[in-house]
Amino acid sequence: MTEEKDFKAGFVALIGRPNVGKSTIMNNILGTKLSIVSPKPQTTRMRILGVKHDKDAQIIFLDTPGVQKGKDILTKTVVESAVSSMEEADLLVLIIEADKGWTREDEQILHNYIEKLNKSTILVINKIDKLKDKRMLLPLIEESAKKYNFVEIIPVSAIKGQNLDDFIQALKKYLPVSPPLFPEDQITDLPLKFYIAEIIREKVFQNTRKEIPYSAAVEVESIEEGQKNKNLLIIRAVIYVEKENHKAIIIGKKGQMLKKIGQQAREELEHLLGKKIHLELWVKVKPRWKEDIRLLKMLGYQYIS
Protein backbone atom coordinates (compact mmCIF):
# COMPACT_ATOMS: atom_id res chain seq x y z
CA MET A 1 0.00 0.00 0.00
CA THR A 2 1.39 3.40 -0.99
CA GLU A 3 1.99 5.67 1.97
CA GLU A 4 0.05 8.92 1.93
CA LYS A 5 3.27 10.95 1.70
CA ASP A 6 4.10 9.16 -1.60
CA PHE A 7 0.62 9.37 -3.11
CA LYS A 8 0.19 11.65 -6.11
CA ALA A 9 -2.87 13.45 -7.47
CA GLY A 10 -3.32 16.14 -10.05
CA PHE A 11 -5.05 17.51 -13.12
CA VAL A 12 -3.99 16.51 -16.63
CA ALA A 13 -5.33 18.51 -19.61
CA LEU A 14 -5.66 16.59 -22.87
CA ILE A 15 -5.12 19.13 -25.66
CA GLY A 16 -5.27 18.95 -29.42
CA ARG A 17 -7.18 19.90 -32.51
CA PRO A 18 -10.57 18.25 -33.09
CA ASN A 19 -10.65 14.49 -33.72
CA VAL A 20 -7.09 13.61 -32.66
CA GLY A 21 -8.45 11.07 -30.16
CA LYS A 22 -8.57 12.92 -26.83
CA SER A 23 -11.92 11.45 -25.80
CA THR A 24 -10.98 7.93 -26.93
CA ILE A 25 -7.78 8.04 -24.85
CA MET A 26 -9.63 9.15 -21.71
CA ASN A 27 -12.54 6.74 -22.16
CA ASN A 28 -10.21 3.76 -22.71
CA ILE A 29 -8.07 4.61 -19.68
CA LEU A 30 -11.14 5.03 -17.44
CA GLY A 31 -12.84 1.92 -18.84
CA THR A 32 -16.11 3.79 -19.26
CA LYS A 33 -17.55 6.37 -21.62
CA LEU A 34 -17.56 9.92 -20.31
CA SER A 35 -16.81 11.82 -23.52
CA ILE A 36 -18.82 11.16 -26.64
CA VAL A 37 -16.86 9.78 -29.56
CA SER A 38 -17.51 10.27 -33.25
CA PRO A 39 -15.48 10.07 -36.47
CA LYS A 40 -16.69 13.62 -37.09
CA PRO A 41 -14.47 16.36 -35.59
CA GLN A 42 -15.55 18.90 -32.95
CA THR A 43 -17.56 16.36 -30.97
CA THR A 44 -16.61 17.51 -27.47
CA ARG A 45 -17.93 21.00 -26.67
CA MET A 46 -17.14 21.27 -22.97
CA ARG A 47 -14.42 20.28 -20.58
CA ILE A 48 -15.17 16.74 -19.40
CA LEU A 49 -13.55 15.64 -16.15
CA GLY A 50 -12.67 11.97 -15.62
CA VAL A 51 -10.86 10.46 -12.62
CA LYS A 52 -8.49 7.50 -12.89
CA HIS A 53 -8.03 5.83 -9.49
CA ASP A 54 -4.83 3.84 -8.92
CA LYS A 55 -3.26 2.51 -5.73
CA ASP A 56 -0.48 5.12 -5.87
CA ALA A 57 -2.09 8.01 -7.73
CA GLN A 58 -5.26 9.77 -8.78
CA ILE A 59 -5.09 11.14 -12.32
CA ILE A 60 -7.80 13.70 -13.05
CA PHE A 61 -8.19 14.06 -16.80
CA LEU A 62 -9.60 17.21 -18.35
CA ASP A 63 -10.75 16.21 -21.82
CA THR A 64 -10.80 19.60 -23.51
CA PRO A 65 -12.77 20.55 -26.61
CA GLY A 66 -10.66 20.68 -29.76
CA VAL A 67 -9.25 24.17 -30.20
CA GLN A 68 -11.10 25.61 -33.19
CA LYS A 69 -11.94 28.86 -34.96
CA GLY A 70 -15.30 30.57 -35.09
CA LYS A 71 -17.06 33.79 -34.18
CA ASP A 72 -20.33 32.59 -32.64
CA ILE A 73 -20.77 32.57 -28.87
CA LEU A 74 -20.77 28.75 -28.71
CA THR A 75 -17.38 28.44 -30.43
CA LYS A 76 -15.86 31.18 -28.25
CA THR A 77 -17.21 29.35 -25.21
CA VAL A 78 -15.66 26.09 -26.40
CA VAL A 79 -12.24 27.73 -26.77
CA GLU A 80 -12.53 29.41 -23.34
CA SER A 81 -13.32 25.99 -21.86
CA ALA A 82 -10.16 24.52 -23.40
CA VAL A 83 -7.97 27.43 -22.26
CA SER A 84 -9.39 27.33 -18.72
CA SER A 85 -8.56 23.61 -18.49
CA MET A 86 -4.99 24.24 -19.60
CA GLU A 87 -4.56 26.96 -17.00
CA GLU A 88 -5.80 24.83 -14.09
CA ALA A 89 -3.88 21.68 -15.07
CA ASP A 90 -0.73 20.44 -13.33
CA LEU A 91 0.40 18.71 -16.52
CA LEU A 92 -0.40 19.21 -20.20
CA VAL A 93 -0.71 16.46 -22.81
CA LEU A 94 -0.59 17.54 -26.45
CA ILE A 95 -1.97 14.92 -28.83
CA ILE A 96 -1.15 14.68 -32.54
CA GLU A 97 -1.86 11.99 -35.13
CA ALA A 98 0.88 9.61 -36.29
CA ASP A 99 -0.47 9.27 -39.81
CA LYS A 100 -0.80 13.03 -40.36
CA GLY A 101 2.29 14.25 -38.52
CA TRP A 102 2.49 17.88 -37.45
CA THR A 103 -0.30 19.94 -39.02
CA ARG A 104 -0.56 23.72 -39.10
CA GLU A 105 -3.28 23.52 -36.41
CA ASP A 106 -0.98 21.43 -34.16
CA GLU A 107 1.77 24.03 -34.57
CA GLN A 108 -0.66 26.84 -33.69
CA ILE A 109 -1.78 25.09 -30.49
CA LEU A 110 1.85 24.55 -29.53
CA HIS A 111 2.82 28.21 -30.11
CA ASN A 112 -0.37 29.96 -28.97
CA TYR A 113 -1.07 27.96 -25.81
CA ILE A 114 1.57 25.48 -24.66
CA GLU A 115 4.62 27.70 -25.12
CA LYS A 116 2.87 30.59 -23.35
CA LEU A 117 1.78 28.47 -20.36
CA ASN A 118 5.26 26.96 -20.02
CA LYS A 119 4.07 23.90 -18.07
CA SER A 120 5.45 20.36 -18.15
CA THR A 121 4.03 18.84 -21.33
CA ILE A 122 3.91 15.28 -22.63
CA LEU A 123 3.48 14.72 -26.37
CA VAL A 124 1.29 11.78 -27.33
CA ILE A 125 1.50 10.56 -30.92
CA ASN A 126 -1.84 8.79 -31.36
CA LYS A 127 -3.16 6.45 -34.08
CA ILE A 128 0.12 4.57 -34.63
CA ASP A 129 -2.06 1.69 -35.86
CA LYS A 130 -2.77 3.79 -38.97
CA LEU A 131 0.88 3.96 -40.03
CA LYS A 132 1.48 1.86 -43.15
CA ASP A 133 5.19 1.71 -42.36
CA LYS A 134 6.20 1.71 -38.69
CA ARG A 135 9.61 3.10 -39.68
CA MET A 136 7.86 6.45 -40.19
CA LEU A 137 7.44 6.79 -36.41
CA LEU A 138 11.08 7.41 -35.44
CA PRO A 139 11.55 10.43 -37.75
CA LEU A 140 8.30 11.90 -36.38
CA ILE A 141 9.55 11.44 -32.80
CA GLU A 142 12.88 13.10 -33.71
CA GLU A 143 11.08 15.99 -35.44
CA SER A 144 8.81 16.44 -32.42
CA ALA A 145 11.74 16.54 -29.98
CA LYS A 146 13.15 19.54 -31.88
CA LYS A 147 9.89 21.49 -31.75
CA TYR A 148 9.56 21.78 -27.98
CA ASN A 149 11.09 20.54 -24.75
CA PHE A 150 8.48 17.81 -24.15
CA VAL A 151 9.16 15.91 -20.92
CA GLU A 152 8.08 12.68 -22.67
CA ILE A 153 7.10 11.64 -26.20
CA ILE A 154 4.82 8.58 -26.19
CA PRO A 155 3.39 6.82 -29.26
CA VAL A 156 0.01 5.15 -28.64
CA SER A 157 -3.01 3.69 -30.35
CA ALA A 158 -5.96 4.77 -28.20
CA ILE A 159 -8.49 2.74 -30.13
CA LYS A 160 -6.44 -0.47 -29.73
CA GLY A 161 -5.14 0.32 -26.24
CA GLN A 162 -1.47 0.18 -27.28
CA ASN A 163 1.02 1.81 -24.88
CA LEU A 164 -1.70 3.37 -22.70
CA ASP A 165 -0.16 1.72 -19.62
CA ASP A 166 3.17 3.39 -20.45
CA PHE A 167 1.32 6.69 -20.83
CA ILE A 168 -0.31 6.31 -17.39
CA GLN A 169 3.04 5.56 -15.74
CA ALA A 170 4.59 8.61 -17.43
CA LEU A 171 1.78 10.85 -16.16
CA LYS A 172 2.37 9.73 -12.58
CA LYS A 173 5.99 10.87 -12.71
CA TYR A 174 4.97 14.49 -13.21
CA LEU A 175 1.99 14.80 -10.87
CA PRO A 176 2.41 16.58 -7.52
CA VAL A 177 2.48 14.67 -4.25
CA SER A 178 -1.04 15.07 -2.87
CA PRO A 179 -3.77 13.15 -1.09
CA PRO A 180 -6.70 12.05 -3.33
CA LEU A 181 -8.80 14.97 -4.53
CA PHE A 182 -11.95 12.94 -5.30
CA PRO A 183 -13.71 10.07 -3.48
CA GLU A 184 -12.85 6.56 -4.71
CA ASP A 185 -16.31 5.98 -6.16
CA GLN A 186 -16.39 9.20 -8.21
CA ILE A 187 -15.13 9.17 -11.79
CA THR A 188 -16.61 12.44 -13.08
CA ASP A 189 -18.18 15.74 -12.05
CA LEU A 190 -20.73 15.68 -14.86
CA PRO A 191 -24.35 16.30 -13.88
CA LEU A 192 -26.57 13.39 -14.91
CA LYS A 193 -28.63 15.60 -17.25
CA PHE A 194 -25.53 16.67 -19.17
CA TYR A 195 -24.26 13.09 -19.38
CA ILE A 196 -27.58 11.89 -20.82
CA ALA A 197 -27.72 14.84 -23.24
CA GLU A 198 -24.23 14.01 -24.53
CA ILE A 199 -25.18 10.38 -25.23
CA ILE A 200 -28.23 11.51 -27.21
CA ARG A 201 -26.12 14.07 -29.08
CA GLU A 202 -23.63 11.36 -29.99
CA LYS A 203 -26.41 9.32 -31.62
CA VAL A 204 -27.40 12.39 -33.64
CA PHE A 205 -23.75 12.64 -34.76
CA GLN A 206 -23.60 9.01 -35.76
CA ASN A 207 -26.85 8.84 -37.70
CA THR A 208 -27.29 12.13 -39.55
CA ARG A 209 -25.66 13.91 -42.42
CA LYS A 210 -22.46 15.88 -42.04
CA GLU A 211 -24.11 19.31 -41.64
CA ILE A 212 -26.37 18.34 -38.74
CA PRO A 213 -24.01 17.79 -35.75
CA TYR A 214 -22.58 21.31 -35.73
CA SER A 215 -26.03 22.83 -35.42
CA ALA A 216 -27.58 20.34 -33.00
CA ALA A 217 -27.83 20.53 -29.22
CA VAL A 218 -29.72 18.46 -26.67
CA GLU A 219 -31.51 19.64 -23.55
CA VAL A 220 -32.75 17.07 -21.06
CA GLU A 221 -35.93 18.64 -19.70
CA SER A 222 -36.74 16.10 -17.01
CA ILE A 223 -35.63 12.83 -15.42
CA GLU A 224 -38.19 11.03 -13.26
CA GLU A 225 -38.33 7.66 -11.55
CA GLY A 226 -41.21 5.41 -12.52
CA GLN A 227 -44.03 5.61 -9.97
CA LYS A 228 -44.43 1.83 -9.75
CA ASN A 229 -40.98 0.74 -10.92
CA LYS A 230 -38.12 2.58 -9.16
CA ASN A 231 -35.65 0.92 -11.55
CA LEU A 232 -37.25 2.84 -14.45
CA LEU A 233 -36.11 6.32 -15.50
CA ILE A 234 -38.44 8.43 -17.63
CA ILE A 235 -36.34 10.91 -19.60
CA ARG A 236 -37.73 13.73 -21.74
CA ALA A 237 -35.32 15.59 -24.00
CA VAL A 238 -35.34 18.14 -26.82
CA ILE A 239 -32.98 18.17 -29.80
CA TYR A 240 -32.48 21.77 -30.97
CA VAL A 241 -31.55 22.52 -34.59
CA GLU A 242 -31.21 25.79 -36.48
CA LYS A 243 -33.22 25.02 -39.63
CA GLU A 244 -36.48 23.35 -40.63
CA ASN A 245 -34.70 21.05 -43.11
CA HIS A 246 -32.38 19.89 -40.28
CA LYS A 247 -35.45 19.03 -38.23
CA ALA A 248 -36.80 17.01 -41.16
CA ILE A 249 -33.52 15.10 -41.48
CA ILE A 250 -33.43 14.18 -37.78
CA ILE A 251 -37.06 13.10 -37.71
CA GLY A 252 -36.67 11.17 -40.96
CA LYS A 253 -39.28 9.52 -43.15
CA LYS A 254 -42.27 8.56 -40.99
CA GLY A 255 -40.18 9.38 -37.90
CA GLN A 256 -37.75 6.50 -38.50
CA MET A 257 -34.52 8.47 -37.96
CA LEU A 258 -35.67 9.93 -34.63
CA LYS A 259 -36.84 6.48 -33.59
CA LYS A 260 -33.41 5.04 -34.44
CA ILE A 261 -31.59 7.81 -32.54
CA GLY A 262 -33.85 7.27 -29.52
CA GLN A 263 -33.44 3.50 -29.55
CA GLN A 264 -29.64 3.65 -29.71
CA ALA A 265 -29.48 6.27 -26.96
CA ARG A 266 -31.90 4.30 -24.76
CA GLU A 267 -29.92 1.06 -25.13
CA GLU A 268 -26.62 2.75 -24.28
CA LEU A 269 -28.09 4.64 -21.31
CA GLU A 270 -29.59 1.42 -19.94
CA HIS A 271 -26.14 -0.18 -20.14
CA LEU A 272 -24.32 2.80 -18.59
CA LEU A 273 -26.84 3.61 -15.84
CA GLY A 274 -27.98 0.06 -15.04
CA LYS A 275 -31.66 1.01 -15.22
CA LYS A 276 -34.56 0.62 -17.63
CA ILE A 277 -35.05 3.78 -19.65
CA HIS A 278 -38.18 5.28 -21.19
CA LEU A 279 -36.89 8.01 -23.51
CA GLU A 280 -39.09 10.65 -25.13
CA LEU A 281 -37.46 12.88 -27.78
CA TRP A 282 -38.71 16.01 -29.53
CA VAL A 283 -37.01 18.10 -32.22
CA LYS A 284 -37.40 21.89 -32.13
CA VAL A 285 -36.11 24.57 -34.50
CA LYS A 286 -34.24 27.35 -32.70
CA PRO A 287 -32.58 29.68 -35.26
CA ARG A 288 -29.13 30.93 -34.19
CA TRP A 289 -29.27 29.02 -30.90
CA LYS A 290 -25.46 29.21 -30.71
CA GLU A 291 -25.89 32.95 -30.07
CA ASP A 292 -28.58 32.53 -27.39
CA ILE A 293 -26.76 33.06 -24.09
CA ARG A 294 -29.77 32.05 -21.99
CA LEU A 295 -30.18 28.75 -23.87
CA LEU A 296 -26.43 28.03 -23.86
CA LYS A 297 -26.35 28.44 -20.07
CA MET A 298 -29.40 26.19 -19.79
CA LEU A 299 -27.57 23.59 -21.88
CA GLY A 300 -24.66 23.67 -19.40
CA TYR A 301 -22.00 25.72 -21.14
CA GLN A 302 -20.49 27.22 -18.04
CA TYR A 303 -17.81 29.49 -19.48
CA ILE A 304 -20.28 32.14 -20.64
CA SER A 305 -20.18 35.64 -19.19
Side-chain angles (χ1 to χ4, degrees), residues 195-208:
Y195 190 50
I196 291 169
E198 287 291 272
I199 296 296
I200 297 169
R201 192 163 67 90
E202 178 186 59
K203 303 315 171 193
V204 174
F205 263 57
Q206 292 173 346
N207 287 287
T208 57

Side-chain angles (χ1 to χ4, degrees), residues 142-293:
E142 290 173 345
E143 177 193 357
S144 301
K146 293 174 184 175
K147 287 188 179 292
Y148 188 72
N149 186 26
F150 295 108
V151 293
E152 306 260 355
I153 298 176
I154 305 170
V156 308
S157 169
I159 205 157
K160 296 198 171 178
Q162 286 178 263
N163 294 350
L164 289 183
D165 286 342
D166 292 342
F167 174 49
I168 291 168
Q169 294 309 311
L171 292 174
K172 291 178 183 179
K173 287 198 285 185
Y174 301 99
L175 290 180
V177 173
S178 165
L181 302 173
F182 286 85
E184 278 187 29
D185 59 351
Q186 184 175 351
I187 61 166
T188 187
D189 63 346
L190 285 182
L192 182 59
K193 275 190 175 184
F194 180 79
Y195 190 50
I196 291 169
E198 287 291 272
I199 296 296
I200 297 169
R201 192 163 67 90
E202 178 186 59
K203 303 315 171 193
V204 174
F205 263 57
Q206 292 173 346
N207 287 287
T208 57
R209 295 179 196 171
K210 189 167 70 174
E211 70 269 21
I212 293 292
Y214 310 115
S215 58
V218 177
E219 180 192 3
V220 174
E221 291 190 328
S222 65
I223 305 169
E224 299 172 4
E225 280 189 347
Q227 289 186 346
K228 294 181 180 178
N229 182 1
K230 297 300 182 185
N231 197 43
L232 172 69
L233 287 182
I234 301 164
I235 300 169
R236 298 177 181 88
V238 177
I239 301 168
Y240 288 104
V241 292
E242 291 187 307
K243 299 176 181 177
E244 285 290 344
N245 67 318
H246 290 174
K247 178 179 178 180
I249 291 168
I250 290 179
I251 292 174
K253 191 175 181 180
K254 295 183 178 178
Q256 288 303 304
M257 178 57 75
L258 187 60
K259 183 178 179 182
K260 185 179 179 183
I261 290 167
Q263 180 180 339
Q264 291 181 1
R266 177 182 57 76
E267 289 172 355
E268 181 153 341
L269 288 167
E270 285 182 344
H271 174 72
L272 290 168
L273 301 177
K275 289 178 178 282
K276 295 295 290 181
I277 302 292
H278 175 78
L279 179 60
E280 298 176 10
L281 291 178
W282 289 268
V283 185
K284 293 183 181 179
V285 177
K286 180 81 174 173
R288 297 177 59 83
W289 67 262
K290 296 180 204 170
E291 298 286 347
D292 186 333
I293 293 177

